[in-house]
Amino acid sequence: MDSIEVFDGHNDAVQLMVDYKPTGRDFLTRSEEGHLDLPRAIEGRLMGGLFALHASPERKPENDLIVTSDGYEVRYADAVPLDYARLQIDAQLSAIGGLIRRSNGRMRLATDVDGITTARAESAFAVVLHMEGAEAIDPDFDYLHHLHEAGLRSLGPVWSRPNIFGYGVPFAYPRSPDTGPGLTNLGRNLVRTCNALGIMIDLAHLNERGFWDVAALSTAPLVATHACAHSICPSTRNLTDRQLDAIRDTDGVIGFNLAVYDIRADAHLDADTPLDVVVRHIEYLIDRMGADRVALGSDFDGTVVPRQIRDASGLPHLFDAMRKAGFDEPTLRKFAFDNWLRVFGLTWPS
């Protein structure tokens, strides 16, 4: 049986690259730390993915994790100032460019579906630029146009904190994702501008009101690059059945997040979460949304994943578990690769 080739809807590897962070890892060299580098991607048949650019605050608040009697909530720093955010994003763009040059053709920047399929055919790793949180973007969107010219093809207006474009959904359990206001007027203009440029809008980390604001405005399919089902695990980061139905009805995609605390019904931070628990969650999503609208959005290097997967090299274990649960090969190929290409084709200009 042929191994499954994979395109991943989300990773945070840029934050840990030596090209960006001098104390980080060389993405071209196999490591036992974290989840993702090129050798482990090759071992796991991971052929490409969305690489998240993300601006972090200078300092986190003290005592940011609050444990409650039945769950948790996380406090966040204020929004990152534009100039400070832009310094980080510029440095991350430079780091990815340098890495791709150092790879000597083993990695390629992809800005359209043909670029991904060509890289796949030639056994090169396809890098698609995504930005998680729009703090670096100015109200006139000049920097957004610059990023688009640099290759940006996916954008989450917010991370899990507010900015000038809208309100992120804070991490908490058990709680509804309806946590406050949605998009601002600037956020609505951001959606319209992304539609015009052909930049995919990522609904992950946006609160429920913001989700519905995007749904009312956007002319593109609805996409959440890394999330799970709120009906199974009622964390704020997960999507309600009504939200899942809206993604389905626009022919969009949800990228299934491998974060154990969003997969498990009890939201425990437990790497020993069994793969049958993971597979049952995927099965719920596919049963509700259809096999064409659920893909993989691992969140590698940004979360805790099941120990049986461990890192990118362990992705075949997930697909073996899905086969044992009765998933057929066409469904596996859609989940692993084809569904991302389908939604990119509906979103990006040809």
Side-chain angles (χ1 to χ4, degrees), residues 79-80 133-136 156-159 161-168 182 184 187 190:
V80 180
E135 283 93 345
V158 298
W159 190 69
R161 57 178 174 252
N163 62 28
I164 62 173
F165 301 106
Y167 291 79
T184 63
L190 178 63

Side-chain angles (χ1 to χ4, degrees), residues 38-205:
L38 187 58
R40 285 184 287 179
I42 292 169
E43 290 175 32
R45 301 290 284 161
L46 179 59
M47 308 298 290
L50 269 68
F51 280 64
L53 310 173
H54 176 70
S56 300
E58 192 169 4
R59 286 179 296 275
K60 291 183 178 180
E62 296 181 5
N63 303 316
D64 56 337
L65 177 62
I66 301 168
V67 178
T68 63
S69 60
D70 59 349
Y72 66 85
E73 58 183 86
V74 179
R75 295 172 56 242
Y76 293 104
D78 294 335
V80 180
L82 185 147
D83 289 345
Y84 185 65
R86 193 167 292 181
L87 283 172
Q88 294 181 65
I89 300 303
D90 282 344
Q92 290 167 27
L93 278 173
S94 177
I96 291 176
L99 171 65
I100 290 173
R101 288 190 294 273
R102 286 199 300 115
S103 77
N104 294 320
R106 290 177 290 167
M107 300 178 68
R108 298 180 189 173
L109 180 66
T111 58
D112 54 30
V113 172
D114 285 346
I116 297 172
T117 55
T118 299
R120 181 185 190 183
E122 297 177 359
S123 298
F125 188 90
V127 174
V128 176
L129 295 182
H130 166 74
M131 192 159 74
E132 189 173 40
E135 283 93 345
I137 295 174
D138 55 283
D140 294 326
F141 304 129
D142 292 334
Y143 192 64
L144 178 64
H145 287 274
H146 164 73
L147 290 172
H148 181 258
E149 291 175 3
L152 187 76
R153 292 297 180 268
S154 178
L155 170 70
V158 298
W159 190 69
S160 288
R161 57 178 174 252
N163 62 28
I164 62 173
F165 301 106
Y167 291 79
V169 62
F171 286 63
Y173 170 96
R175 194 173 303 173
S176 164
D178 186 11
T179 58
L183 296 181
T184 63
N185 287 335
L186 271 176
R188 293 179 176 88
N189 288 337
L190 178 63
V191 170
R192 297 184 184 102
T193 306
C194 285
N195 282 166
L197 291 171
I199 296 174
M200 187 175 77
I201 300 161
D202 179 20
L203 297 164
H205 291 285

Side-chain angles (χ1 to χ4, degrees), residues 4 282 286 290-292 294-295 319 322 326-339:
I4 296 289
I282 296 171
I286 291 178
D292 293 328
V294 184
F319 294 105
M322 292 176 71
F327 288 93
D328 60 24
E329 293 302 305
T331 299
L332 292 180
R333 287 193 293 272
K334 289 178 179 180
F335 176 82
F337 209 109
D338 296 349
N339 287 344

